[in-house]
Amino acid sequence: MNPRLAKAIINGLMIGLAALSLAPLLWMLSVAFMQPGEASHFPPPLLPSSPTLHNFHELFARVGMGRYLFNSFLIASLTTLVALLLNTMAGYAFAKLRFAGRDAMFRALLAALVIPAQVAMMPLFLMLKQLGLVNSYAGAIVPGMAGIFGIFLVRQYARSIPDELLEAARIDGAGEFRIFFQIVLPVLKPILVTLAIFVFLASWNDFMWPLIVLSDSSLHTLPVALASLSREHVQDNELMMAGSVVTVLPVLLLFLVLQRYYLQGLMVGSVKG
């Protein structure tokens, strides 16, 4: 086959798949700017006849979406910060520090990856209830503070740090905390950004755990609020799509801003495992 023809076919297929993947998101954005009831016409219009911000105004003025946006941002941000610290410290310890039972403990953690997260929700809920953390921001943050995948990701990357560099710092009198914060963390920057994106997206999009632990509607996150909105405004497609845009847009912007570091972390991690 002619190389130019093969290249054109491959590029055409990739463009077609990209358009197919983006079509629902683009239509969601289009419906969010339509007049109330316009998306219910048959056949449904692809573009708004007269674009309006009415649906977004309704979300924030009447539905109180600003509160839910704040809740999601607060929970996702705090979860990401705590998870970065704990996962990084644990991953570094498993990679470079020697202590009794290190390898056996790490293998046990990897074995626990096969256990579905839903299995631990009830015991975790009962524990948080005993601690008085149910129906609070802290209760929503606890499950995401450390994860086996994050520990594994950091551990694999941290193994590439030369032992000689760490030993030289110890000889110069540096303590373990100083070594960690001044030497290890700067080296781990690409994988930290990658891990931060994973944790933030997981926390931002989480629906099941906030639904279980947060009974007060004023503490609900965007996914939970959007589900409640769908029950109350089942026929209001434009308002629902505006809520979906508010939910998707922040994480999409976050990924676009940090994608250079994200891809760097994935590429470097793939050759330094």
Side-chain angles (χ1 to χ4, degrees), residues 224-243:
V224 179
L226 198 59
S228 300
L229 188 67
S230 67
R231 293 192 296 269
E232 298 174 7
H233 304 270
V234 64
Q235 298 296 332
D236 199 342
N237 298 318
E238 297 78 16
L239 189 66
M240 287 298 303
M241 292 304 168

Side-chain angles (χ1 to χ4, degrees), residues 21-22 24-29 32 56 59-60 65 68-69 72 200-201 204-205 221-223 226 240-257:
S21 301
L22 291 175
L25 292 176
L26 295 177
W27 194 71
M28 174 187 73
L29 184 62
F56 294 96
L59 276 178
F60 287 93
M65 190 61 70
Y68 305 131
L69 183 64
S72 285
F200 190 91
L201 290 180
W204 184 274
N205 295 322
T221 57
L222 281 174
L226 198 59
M240 287 298 303
M241 292 304 168
S244 300
V245 169
V246 172
T247 303
V248 171
L249 190 60
V251 292
L252 182 61
L253 293 177
L254 174 69
F255 178 80
L256 292 176
V257 170

